[in-house]
Amino acid sequence: MKRMQRTLAHLTAVAALATSLAGIGTTSAQAAMPACNDSTVYIDRAGFYTHVPTQVNMGSNFCTLRKGADNNAVYDLQQTLWYCYGGYLVTDGKFGPATETLLKKAQAQAGIPADGIYGPQTRDAIKFRFWQWETGTWRCLKLTDAPQPLTASTN
């Protein structure tokens, strides 16, 4: 009987350890992704452009934005959220509660987990505001729905 109790105790400990390690792995992967600190301008074949949050030093749009961030990437995300997902939003470059709420709305509409954190899954799922300066017109499209190819601007 004592042997069975010890075995159950060991199995419980192993299960608890496995569960905590699984959580650490996910958190570490998210924490390892750099924060977006600016945006890259992408222009589609029709001449419309959009700003995509980017980690400029690494030249990558595989980055995250979350509550507390304060930079140009947040400003550009706020512009997209305001124009494409409705609701008034101060576009001040500060990722606060209103930005988080509207991002969750966009994520829910896109059919992805509404966690209020911008990352690659959100980038690929939400619509971005594409603007054409010459005509003063804009439209909201997923990056993959814009007339391809999208090219990064050096401006």
Side-chain angles (χ1 to χ4, degrees), residues 122-139:
T122 300
R123 178 203 62 221
D124 293 344
I126 67 169
K127 294 177 182 177
F128 282 82
R129 176 184 179 227
F130 280 82
W131 174 261
Q132 192 174 53
W133 182 258
E134 295 79 18
T135 62
T137 57
W138 58 272
R139 60 193 179 185

Side-chain angles (χ1 to χ4, degrees), residues 137-154:
T137 57
W138 58 272
R139 60 193 179 185
C140 293
L141 296 172
K142 287 174 56 175
L143 294 174
T144 54
D145 292 339
Q148 300 296 313
L150 287 181
T151 54
S153 172
T154 56

Side-chain angles (χ1 to χ4, degrees), residues 50-110:
T50 193
H51 296 259
V52 178
T54 307
Q55 209 300 325
V56 175
N57 300 336
M58 299 176 73
S60 172
N61 58 24
F62 282 85
C63 55
T64 62
L65 286 171
R66 61 186 72 221
K67 203 170 183 182
D70 181 358
N71 56 42
N72 288 337
V74 175
Y75 173 83
D76 290 325
L77 176 63
Q78 289 171 329
Q79 287 283 310
T80 276
L81 292 172
W82 183 17
Y83 281 91
C84 298
Y85 291 94
Y88 177 73
L89 182 65
V90 174
T91 53
D92 59 2
K94 295 176 176 129
F95 198 126
T99 302
E100 182 181 47
T101 298
L102 199 48
L103 180 57
K104 285 180 179 179
K105 176 183 175 184
Q107 290 170 323
Q109 285 183 10

